[in-house]
Amino acid sequence: MLTPNVKAQTNDPREFQLLNTALNLFIRVGIEKVNLQHIIKSAAQSKSTFYRFFESKNDLMASILLANEMELSDLLNTHSDPKKLVDAYIRFRLQSFDKYIVITEIERLLEEQGCQLEKFLAWKRLRGVQVDMISRTLSSQKMDKRGGESPRYYYALIWALIHGTSHLSHNTFFHQLVEDRRGFTKFLSDATNGMFGNL
C-alpha cells in the first residue's frame, strides 16, 4: 500500500515530513488521538521546527487541507476537456480512501470549531474556485438542457459518489463487491461521465 501524502507549501523537507507524518498518524490512529508530541517525535523533528511551520495542531490540519487542495488544483488546471477534468477529479479524490476520509474529518473538525486560520480560509477559497471551474466546464457543455439543473448539482453528484465510496471502503460487503479498487475507480469515472451525456 502506498503511503498517502501531500505536498508541502515550501520546499523544506522538514515541513513535508511533519505534514505527512501527521496525515499518516491521523489515518492509522485517528485525528483526536494524535497529539503534537506524537507527531513531532514520529517525524523525528524538534518542537521548534514544528513551530517554524505551524502555529498549532489546527494550523497543521489546515495546512494538510490546503496542500491537498493545491495539488488537486494543479492537476485540474492541466485539463480543459470535460471528460478528462471529471476523470482527474475522481481519480485524485479516490487515490486513497483513507486519506480522503481523514481530509473530510479535518474539514468537519475545523468547521465545528469555527476555525478562522488563514490557511483554512485559503483552503475554502481554493475549493470554491475549483467548484466554479468544474461547474463552468460542465455548463459549457450545455448540460442544463436536461431540465434546467444547475451545473453545481453535477459537481455535488460527483462529490457525493466519491464521499459515499470512500466511506464504504471499510465495509466488508463493499470489499466483497469491489475487489479491484482501480477498476472500480475507472468504472465510477466512466459511469459519471456517462450520466452527463456526451461531454
Side-chain angles (χ1 to χ4, degrees):
M1 179 178 130
L2 293 174
T3 303
N5 63 58
V6 291
K7 292 180 181 177
Q9 290 189 331
T10 67
N11 288 327
D12 194 311
R14 296 172 298 177
E15 182 186 14
F16 179 85
Q17 184 67 27
L18 286 162
L19 279 171
N20 289 291
T21 297
L23 175 61
N24 284 285
L25 284 170
F26 293 160
I27 289 169
R28 286 195 326 267
V29 180
I31 296 170
E32 294 183 6
K33 293 180 182 175
V34 174
N35 62 35
L36 289 184
Q37 293 164 327
H38 193 182
I39 294 166
I40 292 166
K41 183 178 178 183
S42 297
Q45 300 296 322
S46 68
K47 198 173 191 178
S48 63
T49 299
F50 177 88
Y51 285 108
R52 176 178 294 162
F53 299 107
F54 312 107
E55 298 173 14
S56 62
K57 182 179 174 183
N58 280 358
D59 189 46
L60 171 68
M61 292 190 306
S63 296
I64 289 170
L65 284 180
L66 183 58
N68 186 66
E69 213 67 21
M70 289 171 69
E71 186 178 349
L72 174 60
S73 186
D74 290 345
L75 177 67
L76 294 179
N77 285 325
T78 65
H79 298 289
S80 58
D81 175 77
K83 279 186 180 181
K84 290 180 180 174
L85 183 73
V86 169
D87 185 61
Y89 179 81
I90 290 170
R91 288 180 187 279
F92 180 84
R93 292 293 193 210
L94 293 181
Q95 66 186 334
S96 168
F97 292 142
D98 293 333
K99 176 182 171 184
Y100 182 79
I101 290 168
V102 165
I103 294 290
T104 59
E105 182 64 10
I106 289 171
E107 175 188 358
R108 184 189 67 75
L109 289 169
L110 293 178
E111 284 285 1
E112 283 180 359
Q113 296 170 17
C115 182
Q116 293 298 308
L117 290 167
E118 179 51 38
K119 290 174 188 172
F120 186 62
L121 299 176
W123 167 78
K124 284 180 155 185
R125 288 189 298 270
L126 183 56
R127 183 179 61 175
V129 166
Q130 291 170 356
V131 169
D132 290 342
M133 180 180 75
I134 292 172
S135 296
R136 269 194 321 274
T137 301
L138 296 176
S139 180
S140 72
Q141 298 302 306
K142 309 269 190 267
M143 296 182 68
D144 54 349
K145 67 182 178 189
R146 295 179 126 185
E149 297 99 351
S150 165
R152 286 178 167 255
Y153 291 176
Y154 292 100
Y155 180 91
L157 174 62
I158 295 167
W159 177 83
L161 288 170
I162 292 167
H163 194 78
T165 300
S166 65
H167 282 78
L168 284 172
S169 68
H170 294 287
N171 181 291
T172 305
F173 184 61
F174 177 80
H175 287 281
Q176 291 170 353
L177 288 172
V178 178
E179 295 175 2
D180 176 11
R181 280 187 176 185
R182 287 186 185 183
F184 183 72
T185 299
K186 182 180 180 340
F187 168 78
L188 185 61
S189 178
D190 292 346
T192 302
N193 276 317
M195 283 189 288
F196 299 152
N198 295 322
L199 288 180

